[in-house]
Amino acid sequence: MEHRKLRIATTSLAGCFGCHMSLLDIDEHLFELVELVEFDRSPLTDIKQCAPCDIGLIEGGVCNAENVHVLREFRRHCKTLIAVGACAINGGLPAQRNHLDLGACLQEVYCYREGLDAPGVPDDPELPLLLDKVHPIHEVVRVDYFIPGCPPSGEAIWKFLTDLIAGRTPRLSYPMLHFD
Amino acid sequence: MSRQFLFDGRPVPFEEGQTILQAARAAGHYIPHLCWHPDFPPHGSCKLCVVKVAGRHVSSCALPAREGMEVESNTPEINAERRTLLQMLFVEGNHFCPSCEKSGNCQLQALAYDLEMSAGRFNHFYPDRPVDASHPDVLLDFNRCIFCELCVRASRDVDNKNVFALTGRGIGKHLVVNAESGRLGDTDFAADDLAADICPVGVILKKRVGFAVPIGQRKYDEAPIHTVAMARDE
């Protein structure tokens, strides 16, 4: 009997794309993976909107309004939503801005830095506004699983996905479980 | 005839006055802990050493062993409670392991790995306590403090300098430096004090030595804390 391929969507919110690079670090397992799954919206595909999916992988915390919209879109369409990496889990290193005043931060970069041609904080409505703090994704939507690491190793991501695809409860052994 | 109690179903001998944690440890059984240290009296703040005795959850670092006690430690129920305690500690502070010099050598992190904690799950507090870099050899990052008081105890009782204290109440509790200025640089604290080495997490850091140990060779890289702690007697 022909099994329907699982659909996976991925995105990077306030991420560095490092978790996606780690996903690519599964190397030749990628060939096995595409036998098992099809990719929906992802930085690796050209799909603009998330369709109903089995698994959503989210990298990065939530730092601006667009991140919130994308995250909610993923939650609406993905049966299982996974926080991948330190940023999605606890805000990560970008959350180190949480004790700074946002206005002062923007002015420091866009107004006071030396060598600026036209100082001024960008204010085009096309640009998403920053949130005053960076948040883990579980503070915005319900999250089913967390894969820690900055980034998680390719091995950990592969183990997690293959467990999930096979219907097992994903579990990372000691060497695969790390926060750094 | 030595007296004994049952630890996870196995007989453990003890001497009068020994706590459950001490006796279990002497018999080779690890009980997770953060604020307990063999050289100091029990502190009882971290609660990681919780065990179940006669249906009640108690701190094994503080409860004296008694003949015939039945102690449950390594069970799904108790480990789930420990995991929740760890998650509370993680969200209360700024535990951004990817940029912390203590990563790989940190007891809080190692316990989280050992108990398979994957995320903090609670909402994060993101405390804002400024770093104290006033001392020439040592740096303090107060946002990682878990209030175990080991530095307070080591500095007061062993170094005889009384450099640290906890102050404030409730979530406002925090570590302070006993100097009029509140700055470490204005005390007689030294990098070879016991208090400089005893922090189980990444609050008290020696300058200019961060990230010196390659990944793979750090304290908890190869073996989990339940193995390392028993081997090193800490």
Side-chain angles (χ1 to χ4, degrees), chain B residues 132-168:
Chain B
D132 180 349
S134 59
H135 193 280
D137 303 317
V138 177
L139 175 82
L140 300 177
D141 186 336
F142 297 103
N143 295 318
R144 298 169 182 158
C145 183
I146 57 169
F147 317 116
C148 67
E149 274 198 333
L150 277 170
C151 60
V152 176
R153 292 180 274 166
S155 184
R156 183 189 59 211
D157 304 339
V158 179
D159 302 329
N160 295 313
K161 292 185 177 176
N162 204 16
V163 169
F164 300 103
L166 289 187
T167 190

PDB file of all heavy atoms in Angstrom, chain B residues 132-168:
ATOM      1  N   ASP B 132      28.853  42.665  37.426  1.00  0.00           N
ATOM      2  CA  ASP B 132      29.889  43.357  38.198  1.00  0.00           C
ATOM      3  C   ASP B 132      31.246  42.887  37.690  1.00  0.00           C
ATOM      4  O   ASP B 132      31.665  41.764  37.952  1.00  0.00           O
ATOM      5  CB  ASP B 132      29.720  43.028  39.686  1.00  0.00           C
ATOM      6  CG  ASP B 132      30.766  43.724  40.562  1.00  0.00           C
ATOM      7  OD1 ASP B 132      31.736  44.276  40.005  1.00  0.00           O
ATOM      8  OD2 ASP B 132      30.597  43.707  41.802  1.00  0.00           O
ATOM      9  N   ALA B 133      31.910  43.762  36.956  1.00  0.00           N
ATOM     10  CA  ALA B 133      33.231  43.412  36.407  1.00  0.00           C
ATOM     11  C   ALA B 133      34.320  44.234  37.077  1.00  0.00           C
ATOM     12  O   ALA B 133      35.411  44.410  36.533  1.00  0.00           O
ATOM     13  CB  ALA B 133      33.255  43.629  34.894  1.00  0.00           C
ATOM     14  N   SER B 134      34.041  44.720  38.296  1.00  0.00           N
ATOM     15  CA  SER B 134      34.972  45.656  38.949  1.00  0.00           C
ATOM     16  C   SER B 134      36.241  44.993  39.469  1.00  0.00           C
ATOM     17  O   SER B 134      37.260  45.652  39.652  1.00  0.00           O
ATOM     18  CB  SER B 134      34.249  46.347  40.121  1.00  0.00           C
ATOM     19  OG  SER B 134      33.788  45.377  41.056  1.00  0.00           O
ATOM     20  N   HIS B 135      36.163  43.681  39.697  1.00  0.00           N
ATOM     21  CA  HIS B 135      37.340  42.984  40.240  1.00  0.00           C
ATOM     22  C   HIS B 135      38.325  42.669  39.113  1.00  0.00           C
ATOM     23  O   HIS B 135      37.912  42.306  38.021  1.00  0.00           O
ATOM     24  CB  HIS B 135      36.874  41.695  40.934  1.00  0.00           C
ATOM     25  CG  HIS B 135      37.917  41.052  41.790  1.00  0.00           C
ATOM     26  ND1 HIS B 135      38.921  40.273  41.269  1.00  0.00           N
ATOM     27  CD2 HIS B 135      38.122  41.080  43.130  1.00  0.00           C
ATOM     28  CE1 HIS B 135      39.691  39.843  42.267  1.00  0.00           C
ATOM     29  NE2 HIS B 135      39.223  40.320  43.403  1.00  0.00           N
ATOM     30  N   PRO B 136      39.621  42.788  39.370  1.00  0.00           N
ATOM     31  CA  PRO B 136      40.591  42.548  38.277  1.00  0.00           C
ATOM     32  C   PRO B 136      40.585  41.112  37.749  1.00  0.00           C
ATOM     33  O   PRO B 136      40.910  40.883  36.580  1.00  0.00           O
ATOM     34  CB  PRO B 136      41.955  42.876  38.907  1.00  0.00           C
ATOM     35  CG  PRO B 136      41.723  42.906  40.385  1.00  0.00           C
ATOM     36  CD  PRO B 136      40.292  43.278  40.594  1.00  0.00           C
ATOM     37  N   ASP B 137      40.237  40.135  38.604  1.00  0.00           N
ATOM     38  CA  ASP B 137      40.379  38.738  38.185  1.00  0.00           C
ATOM     39  C   ASP B 137      39.070  37.956  38.088  1.00  0.00           C
ATOM     40  O   ASP B 137      39.069  36.836  37.581  1.00  0.00           O
ATOM     41  CB  ASP B 137      41.293  37.982  39.175  1.00  0.00           C
ATOM     42  CG  ASP B 137      42.653  38.633  39.289  1.00  0.00           C
ATOM     43  OD1 ASP B 137      43.202  39.007  38.228  1.00  0.00           O
ATOM     44  OD2 ASP B 137      43.156  38.778  40.415  1.00  0.00           O
ATOM     45  N   VAL B 138      37.988  38.517  38.597  1.00  0.00           N
ATOM     46  CA  VAL B 138      36.734  37.755  38.669  1.00  0.00           C
ATOM     47  C   VAL B 138      35.553  38.616  38.238  1.00  0.00           C
ATOM     48  O   VAL B 138      35.510  39.815  38.524  1.00  0.00           O
ATOM     49  CB  VAL B 138      36.493  37.222  40.107  1.00  0.00           C
ATOM     50  CG1 VAL B 138      35.158  36.503  40.195  1.00  0.00           C
ATOM     51  CG2 VAL B 138      37.623  36.295  40.539  1.00  0.00           C
ATOM     52  N   LEU B 139      34.627  37.959  37.531  1.00  0.00           N
ATOM     53  CA  LEU B 139      33.439  38.635  37.002  1.00  0.00           C
ATOM     54  C   LEU B 139      32.197  38.023  37.646  1.00  0.00           C
ATOM     55  O   LEU B 139      32.162  36.830  37.885  1.00  0.00           O
ATOM     56  CB  LEU B 139      33.425  38.372  35.495  1.00  0.00           C
ATOM     57  CG  LEU B 139      32.277  38.819  34.640  1.00  0.00           C
ATOM     58  CD1 LEU B 139      32.480  40.288  34.296  1.00  0.00           C
ATOM     59  CD2 LEU B 139      32.244  37.999  33.360  1.00  0.00           C
ATOM     60  N   LEU B 140      31.191  38.854  37.926  1.00  0.00           N
ATOM     61  CA  LEU B 140      29.949  38.323  38.492  1.00  0.00           C
ATOM     62  C   LEU B 140      28.782  38.583  37.543  1.00  0.00           C
ATOM     63  O   LEU B 140      28.505  39.726  37.193  1.00  0.00           O
ATOM     64  CB  LEU B 140      29.640  38.993  39.843  1.00  0.00           C
ATOM     65  CG  LEU B 140      30.666  38.828  40.964  1.00  0.00           C
ATOM     66  CD1 LEU B 140      30.236  39.621  42.189  1.00  0.00           C
ATOM     67  CD2 LEU B 140      30.853  37.364  41.319  1.00  0.00           C
ATOM     68  N   ASP B 141      28.087  37.502  37.116  1.00  0.00           N
ATOM     69  CA  ASP B 141      26.845  37.672  36.348  1.00  0.00           C
ATOM     70  C   ASP B 141      25.684  37.213  37.222  1.00  0.00           C
ATOM     71  O   ASP B 141      25.398  36.016  37.327  1.00  0.00           O
ATOM     72  CB  ASP B 141      26.881  36.873  35.040  1.00  0.00           C
ATOM     73  CG  ASP B 141      25.649  37.168  34.177  1.00  0.00           C
ATOM     74  OD1 ASP B 141      24.610  37.581  34.742  1.00  0.00           O
ATOM     75  OD2 ASP B 141      25.728  36.999  32.949  1.00  0.00           O
ATOM     76  N   PHE B 142      25.023  38.168  37.849  1.00  0.00           N
ATOM     77  CA  PHE B 142      23.999  37.865  38.854  1.00  0.00           C
ATOM     78  C   PHE B 142      22.743  37.242  38.257  1.00  0.00           C
ATOM     79  O   PHE B 142      21.937  36.671  38.982  1.00  0.00           O
ATOM     80  CB  PHE B 142      23.615  39.140  39.612  1.00  0.00           C
ATOM     81  CG  PHE B 142      24.748  39.738  40.402  1.00  0.00           C
ATOM     82  CD1 PHE B 142      25.431  40.851  39.930  1.00  0.00           C
ATOM     83  CD2 PHE B 142      25.124  39.188  41.607  1.00  0.00           C
ATOM     84  CE1 PHE B 142      26.472  41.399  40.665  1.00  0.00           C
ATOM     85  CE2 PHE B 142      26.157  39.724  42.343  1.00  0.00           C
ATOM     86  CZ  PHE B 142      26.847  40.847  41.867  1.00  0.00           C
ATOM     87  N   ASN B 143      22.542  37.373  36.942  1.00  0.00           N
ATOM     88  CA  ASN B 143      21.313  36.847  36.344  1.00  0.00           C
ATOM     89  C   ASN B 143      21.311  35.328  36.219  1.00  0.00           C
ATOM     90  O   ASN B 143      20.348  34.741  35.735  1.00  0.00           O
ATOM     91  CB  ASN B 143      21.084  37.478  34.971  1.00  0.00           C
ATOM     92  CG  ASN B 143      20.836  38.968  35.075  1.00  0.00           C
ATOM     93  OD1 ASN B 143      20.119  39.418  35.962  1.00  0.00           O
ATOM     94  ND2 ASN B 143      21.455  39.741  34.194  1.00  0.00           N
ATOM     95  N   ARG B 144      22.409  34.697  36.615  1.00  0.00           N
ATOM     96  CA  ARG B 144      22.465  33.233  36.554  1.00  0.00           C
ATOM     97  C   ARG B 144      22.394  32.612  37.944  1.00  0.00           C
ATOM     98  O   ARG B 144      22.486  31.392  38.083  1.00  0.00           O
ATOM     99  CB  ARG B 144      23.768  32.795  35.873  1.00  0.00           C
ATOM    100  CG  ARG B 144      23.883  33.264  34.440  1.00  0.00           C
ATOM    101  CD  ARG B 144      25.286  33.026  33.914  1.00  0.00           C
ATOM    102  NE  ARG B 144      25.430  33.523  32.556  1.00  0.00           N
ATOM    103  CZ  ARG B 144      26.597  33.835  32.006  1.00  0.00           C
ATOM    104  NH1 ARG B 144      27.695  33.709  32.712  1.00  0.00           N
ATOM    105  NH2 ARG B 144      26.649  34.263  30.771  1.00  0.00           N
ATOM    106  N   CYS B 145      22.254  33.447  38.966  1.00  0.00           N
ATOM    107  CA  CYS B 145      22.335  32.959  40.350  1.00  0.00           C
ATOM    108  C   CYS B 145      21.115  32.101  40.693  1.00  0.00           C
ATOM    109  O   CYS B 145      19.979  32.441  40.371  1.00  0.00           O
ATOM    110  CB  CYS B 145      22.438  34.132  41.303  1.00  0.00           C
ATOM    111  SG  CYS B 145      22.627  33.634  43.022  1.00  0.00           S
ATOM    112  N   ILE B 146      21.368  30.951  41.357  1.00  0.00           N
ATOM    113  CA  ILE B 146      20.273  30.079  41.792  1.00  0.00           C
ATOM    114  C   ILE B 146      20.119  30.104  43.310  1.00  0.00           C
ATOM    115  O   ILE B 146      19.424  29.276  43.887  1.00  0.00           O
ATOM    116  CB  ILE B 146      20.474  28.635  41.300  1.00  0.00           C
ATOM    117  CG1 ILE B 146      21.817  28.085  41.797  1.00  0.00           C
ATOM    118  CG2 ILE B 146      20.408  28.565  39.779  1.00  0.00           C
ATOM    119  CD1 ILE B 146      21.965  26.588  41.587  1.00  0.00           C
ATOM    120  N   PHE B 147      20.797  31.029  43.981  1.00  0.00           N
ATOM    121  CA  PHE B 147      20.626  31.277  45.423  1.00  0.00           C
ATOM    122  C   PHE B 147      20.944  30.059  46.285  1.00  0.00           C
ATOM    123  O   PHE B 147      20.280  29.806  47.276  1.00  0.00           O
ATOM    124  CB  PHE B 147      19.197  31.786  45.708  1.00  0.00           C
ATOM    125  CG  PHE B 147      18.746  32.816  44.705  1.00  0.00           C
ATOM    126  CD1 PHE B 147      17.678  32.575  43.853  1.00  0.00           C
ATOM    127  CD2 PHE B 147      19.433  34.012  44.589  1.00  0.00           C
ATOM    128  CE1 PHE B 147      17.298  33.510  42.902  1.00  0.00           C
ATOM    129  CE2 PHE B 147      19.050  34.958  43.650  1.00  0.00           C
ATOM    130  CZ  PHE B 147      17.992  34.705  42.800  1.00  0.00           C
ATOM    131  N   CYS B 148      21.977  29.302  45.902  1.00  0.00           N
ATOM    132  CA  CYS B 148      22.373  28.133  46.679  1.00  0.00           C
ATOM    133  C   CYS B 148      23.164  28.533  47.908  1.00  0.00           C
ATOM    134  O   CYS B 148      23.362  27.732  48.812  1.00  0.00           O
ATOM    135  CB  CYS B 148      23.200  27.184  45.815  1.00  0.00           C
ATOM    136  SG  CYS B 148      24.813  27.850  45.346  1.00  0.00           S
ATOM    137  N   GLU B 149      23.660  29.761  47.923  1.00  0.00           N
ATOM    138  CA  GLU B 149      24.452  30.305  49.039  1.00  0.00           C
ATOM    139  C   GLU B 149      25.783  29.589  49.239  1.00  0.00           C
ATOM    140  O   GLU B 149      26.378  29.729  50.304  1.00  0.00           O
ATOM    141  CB  GLU B 149      23.649  30.311  50.349  1.00  0.00           C
ATOM    142  CG  GLU B 149      22.804  31.577  50.499  1.00  0.00           C
ATOM    143  CD  GLU B 149      22.337  31.850  51.935  1.00  0.00           C
ATOM    144  OE1 GLU B 149      22.193  30.883  52.709  1.00  0.00           O
ATOM    145  OE2 GLU B 149      22.113  33.020  52.250  1.00  0.00           O
ATOM    146  N   LEU B 150      26.242  28.816  48.285  1.00  0.00           N
ATOM    147  CA  LEU B 150      27.536  28.155  48.473  1.00  0.00           C
ATOM    148  C   LEU B 150      28.669  29.180  48.547  1.00  0.00           C
ATOM    149  O   LEU B 150      29.583  29.044  49.352  1.00  0.00           O
ATOM    150  CB  LEU B 150      27.796  27.129  47.366  1.00  0.00           C
ATOM    151  CG  LEU B 150      27.147  25.762  47.597  1.00  0.00           C
ATOM    152  CD1 LEU B 150      27.235  24.896  46.354  1.00  0.00           C
ATOM    153  CD2 LEU B 150      27.783  25.050  48.790  1.00  0.00           C
ATOM    154  N   CYS B 151      28.596  30.241  47.728  1.00  0.00           N
ATOM    155  CA  CYS B 151      29.647  31.269  47.783  1.00  0.00           C
ATOM    156  C   CYS B 151      29.575  32.033  49.101  1.00  0.00           C
ATOM    157  O   CYS B 151      30.600  32.387  49.690  1.00  0.00           O
ATOM    158  CB  CYS B 151      29.543  32.230  46.595  1.00  0.00           C
ATOM    159  SG  CYS B 151      27.975  33.126  46.504  1.00  0.00           S
ATOM    160  N   VAL B 152      28.338  32.266  49.577  1.00  0.00           N
ATOM    161  CA  VAL B 152      28.160  32.965  50.857  1.00  0.00           C
ATOM    162  C   VAL B 152      28.806  32.148  51.968  1.00  0.00           C
ATOM    163  O   VAL B 152      29.595  32.665  52.774  1.00  0.00           O
ATOM    164  CB  VAL B 152      26.649  33.163  51.158  1.00  0.00           C
ATOM    165  CG1 VAL B 152      26.450  33.802  52.523  1.00  0.00           C
ATOM    166  CG2 VAL B 152      25.990  33.988  50.064  1.00  0.00           C
ATOM    167  N   ARG B 153      28.503  30.846  51.961  1.00  0.00           N
ATOM    168  CA  ARG B 153      29.001  29.967  53.014  1.00  0.00           C
ATOM    169  C   ARG B 153      30.513  29.791  52.926  1.00  0.00           C
ATOM    170  O   ARG B 153      31.215  29.835  53.932  1.00  0.00           O
ATOM    171  CB  ARG B 153      28.295  28.611  52.933  1.00  0.00           C
ATOM    172  CG  ARG B 153      26.809  28.714  53.289  1.00  0.00           C
ATOM    173  CD  ARG B 153      26.132  27.367  53.199  1.00  0.00           C
ATOM    174  NE  ARG B 153      25.660  27.047  51.858  1.00  0.00           N
ATOM    175  CZ  ARG B 153      25.285  25.829  51.473  1.00  0.00           C
ATOM    176  NH1 ARG B 153      25.378  24.817  52.302  1.00  0.00           N
ATOM    177  NH2 ARG B 153      24.819  25.619  50.247  1.00  0.00           N
ATOM    178  N   ALA B 154      31.018  29.592  51.692  1.00  0.00           N
ATOM    179  CA  ALA B 154      32.456  29.372  51.520  1.00  0.00           C
ATOM    180  C   ALA B 154      33.233  30.624  51.941  1.00  0.00           C
ATOM    181  O   ALA B 154      34.259  30.541  52.625  1.00  0.00           O
ATOM    182  CB  ALA B 154      32.769  29.013  50.076  1.00  0.00           C
ATOM    183  N   SER B 155      32.755  31.790  51.541  1.00  0.00           N
ATOM    184  CA  SER B 155      33.471  33.024  51.836  1.00  0.00           C
ATOM    185  C   SER B 155      33.444  33.335  53.335  1.00  0.00           C
ATOM    186  O   SER B 155      34.427  33.782  53.916  1.00  0.00           O
ATOM    187  CB  SER B 155      32.854  34.180  51.044  1.00  0.00           C
ATOM    188  OG  SER B 155      33.586  35.361  51.253  1.00  0.00           O
ATOM    189  N   ARG B 156      32.291  33.074  53.953  1.00  0.00           N
ATOM    190  CA  ARG B 156      32.135  33.392  55.377  1.00  0.00           C
ATOM    191  C   ARG B 156      32.842  32.360  56.255  1.00  0.00           C
ATOM    192  O   ARG B 156      33.602  32.713  57.157  1.00  0.00           O
ATOM    193  CB  ARG B 156      30.640  33.435  55.721  1.00  0.00           C
ATOM    194  CG  ARG B 156      30.315  33.819  57.164  1.00  0.00           C
ATOM    195  CD  ARG B 156      28.830  33.618  57.418  1.00  0.00           C
ATOM    196  NE  ARG B 156      28.434  32.225  57.186  1.00  0.00           N
ATOM    197  CZ  ARG B 156      27.231  31.844  56.760  1.00  0.00           C
ATOM    198  NH1 ARG B 156      26.295  32.739  56.504  1.00  0.00           N
ATOM    199  NH2 ARG B 156      26.958  30.561  56.575  1.00  0.00           N
ATOM    200  N   ASP B 157      32.632  31.063  55.960  1.00  0.00           N
ATOM    201  CA  ASP B 157      33.061  30.021  56.888  1.00  0.00           C
ATOM    202  C   ASP B 157      34.447  29.456  56.593  1.00  0.00           C
ATOM    203  O   ASP B 157      35.080  28.903  57.483  1.00  0.00           O
ATOM    204  CB  ASP B 157      32.043  28.867  56.894  1.00  0.00           C
ATOM    205  CG  ASP B 157      30.636  29.351  57.232  1.00  0.00           C
ATOM    206  OD1 ASP B 157      30.534  30.437  57.836  1.00  0.00           O
ATOM    207  OD2 ASP B 157      29.659  28.659  56.880  1.00  0.00           O
ATOM    208  N   VAL B 158      34.893  29.554  55.352  1.00  0.00           N
ATOM    209  CA  VAL B 158      36.196  28.965  55.017  1.00  0.00           C
ATOM    210  C   VAL B 158      37.221  30.057  54.718  1.00  0.00           C
ATOM    211  O   VAL B 158      38.307  30.097  55.285  1.00  0.00           O
ATOM    212  CB  VAL B 158      36.082  28.007  53.810  1.00  0.00           C
ATOM    213  CG1 VAL B 158      37.447  27.423  53.461  1.00  0.00           C
ATOM    214  CG2 VAL B 158      35.083  26.891  54.103  1.00  0.00           C
ATOM    215  N   ASP B 159      36.854  30.994  53.827  1.00  0.00           N
ATOM    216  CA  ASP B 159      37.797  32.063  53.470  1.00  0.00           C
ATOM    217  C   ASP B 159      37.883  33.131  54.563  1.00  0.00           C
ATOM    218  O   ASP B 159      38.806  33.948  54.565  1.00  0.00           O
ATOM    219  CB  ASP B 159      37.365  32.730  52.149  1.00  0.00           C
ATOM    220  CG  ASP B 159      37.264  31.733  50.998  1.00  0.00           C
ATOM    221  OD1 ASP B 159      38.024  30.751  51.011  1.00  0.00           O
ATOM    222  OD2 ASP B 159      36.426  31.945  50.100  1.00  0.00           O
ATOM    223  N   ASN B 160      36.904  33.144  55.479  1.00  0.00           N
ATOM    224  CA  ASN B 160      36.826  34.169  56.535  1.00  0.00           C
ATOM    225  C   ASN B 160      36.833  35.589  55.981  1.00  0.00           C
ATOM    226  O   ASN B 160      37.489  36.481  56.534  1.00  0.00           O
ATOM    227  CB  ASN B 160      37.962  33.978  57.547  1.00  0.00           C
ATOM    228  CG  ASN B 160      37.808  32.671  58.297  1.00  0.00           C
ATOM    229  OD1 ASN B 160      36.716  32.343  58.773  1.00  0.00           O
ATOM    230  ND2 ASN B 160      38.880  31.909  58.382  1.00  0.00           N
ATOM    231  N   LYS B 161      36.125  35.802  54.883  1.00  0.00           N
ATOM    232  CA  LYS B 161      36.083  37.139  54.283  1.00  0.00           C
ATOM    233  C   LYS B 161      34.666  37.708  54.230  1.00  0.00           C
ATOM    234  O   LYS B 161      34.494  38.916  54.139  1.00  0.00           O
ATOM    235  CB  LYS B 161      36.655  37.091  52.865  1.00  0.00           C
ATOM    236  CG  LYS B 161      38.159  36.815  52.841  1.00  0.00           C
ATOM    237  CD  LYS B 161      38.693  36.896  51.428  1.00  0.00           C
ATOM    238  CE  LYS B 161      40.208  36.703  51.416  1.00  0.00           C
ATOM    239  NZ  LYS B 161      40.724  36.694  50.049  1.00  0.00           N
ATOM    240  N   ASN B 162      33.677  36.845  54.216  1.00  0.00           N
ATOM    241  CA  ASN B 162      32.288  37.281  54.236  1.00  0.00           C
ATOM    242  C   ASN B 162      31.973  38.270  53.098  1.00  0.00           C
ATOM    243  O   ASN B 162      31.422  39.340  53.324  1.00  0.00           O
ATOM    244  CB  ASN B 162      31.981  37.924  55.592  1.00  0.00           C
ATOM    245  CG  ASN B 162      30.493  37.864  55.913  1.00  0.00           C
ATOM    246  OD1 ASN B 162      29.748  37.103  55.292  1.00  0.00           O
ATOM    247  ND2 ASN B 162      30.067  38.672  56.845  1.00  0.00           N
ATOM    248  N   VAL B 163      32.353  37.866  51.893  1.00  0.00           N
ATOM    249  CA  VAL B 163      32.212  38.767  50.737  1.00  0.00           C
ATOM    250  C   VAL B 163      30.777  38.818  50.202  1.00  0.00           C
ATOM    251  O   VAL B 163      30.336  39.853  49.724  1.00  0.00           O
ATOM    252  CB  VAL B 163      33.185  38.335  49.611  1.00  0.00           C
ATOM    253  CG1 VAL B 163      32.883  39.070  48.310  1.00  0.00           C
ATOM    254  CG2 VAL B 163      34.621  38.587  50.036  1.00  0.00           C
ATOM    255  N   PHE B 164      30.046  37.693  50.287  1.00  0.00           N
ATOM    256  CA  PHE B 164      28.733  37.628  49.630  1.00  0.00           C
ATOM    257  C   PHE B 164      27.579  37.525  50.625  1.00  0.00           C
ATOM    258  O   PHE B 164      27.763  37.084  51.758  1.00  0.00           O
ATOM    259  CB  PHE B 164      28.664  36.410  48.689  1.00  0.00           C
ATOM    260  CG  PHE B 164      29.681  36.435  47.598  1.00  0.00           C
ATOM    261  CD1 PHE B 164      30.825  35.639  47.676  1.00  0.00           C
ATOM    262  CD2 PHE B 164      29.514  37.260  46.497  1.00  0.00           C
ATOM    263  CE1 PHE B 164      31.773  35.659  46.662  1.00  0.00           C
ATOM    264  CE2 PHE B 164      30.452  37.283  45.481  1.00  0.00           C
ATOM    265  CZ  PHE B 164      31.589  36.487  45.573  1.00  0.00           C
ATOM    266  N   ALA B 165      26.392  37.915  50.176  1.00  0.00           N
ATOM    267  CA  ALA B 165      25.171  37.728  50.963  1.00  0.00           C
ATOM    268  C   ALA B 165      23.980  37.677  50.018  1.00  0.00           C
ATOM    269  O   ALA B 165      24.051  38.165  48.887  1.00  0.00           O
ATOM    270  CB  ALA B 165      24.999  38.866  51.958  1.00  0.00           C
ATOM    271  N   LEU B 166      22.899  37.048  50.493  1.00  0.00           N
ATOM    272  CA  LEU B 166      21.639  37.133  49.761  1.00  0.00           C
ATOM    273  C   LEU B 166      20.797  38.199  50.441  1.00  0.00           C
ATOM    274  O   LEU B 166      20.772  38.299  51.665  1.00  0.00           O
ATOM    275  CB  LEU B 166      20.893  35.794  49.784  1.00  0.00           C
ATOM    276  CG  LEU B 166      21.480  34.654  48.952  1.00  0.00           C
ATOM    277  CD1 LEU B 166      20.530  33.471  48.948  1.00  0.00           C
ATOM    278  CD2 LEU B 166      21.743  35.103  47.519  1.00  0.00           C
ATOM    279  N   THR B 167      20.087  38.981  49.659  1.00  0.00           N
ATOM    280  CA  THR B 167      19.216  40.000  50.233  1.00  0.00           C
ATOM    281  C   THR B 167      17.915  40.069  49.443  1.00  0.00           C
ATOM    282  O   THR B 167      17.809  39.482  48.369  1.00  0.00           O
ATOM    283  CB  THR B 167      19.922  41.378  50.244  1.00  0.00           C
ATOM    284  OG1 THR B 167      19.132  42.287  51.012  1.00  0.00           O
ATOM    285  CG2 THR B 167      20.089  41.916  48.835  1.00  0.00           C
ATOM    286  N   GLY B 168      16.936  40.791  49.981  1.00  0.00           N
ATOM    287  CA  GLY B 168      15.643  40.916  49.315  1.00  0.00           C
ATOM    288  C   GLY B 168      14.752  39.732  49.641  1.00  0.00           C
ATOM    289  O   GLY B 168      15.199  38.726  50.202  1.00  0.00           O
TER     290      GLY B 168
END
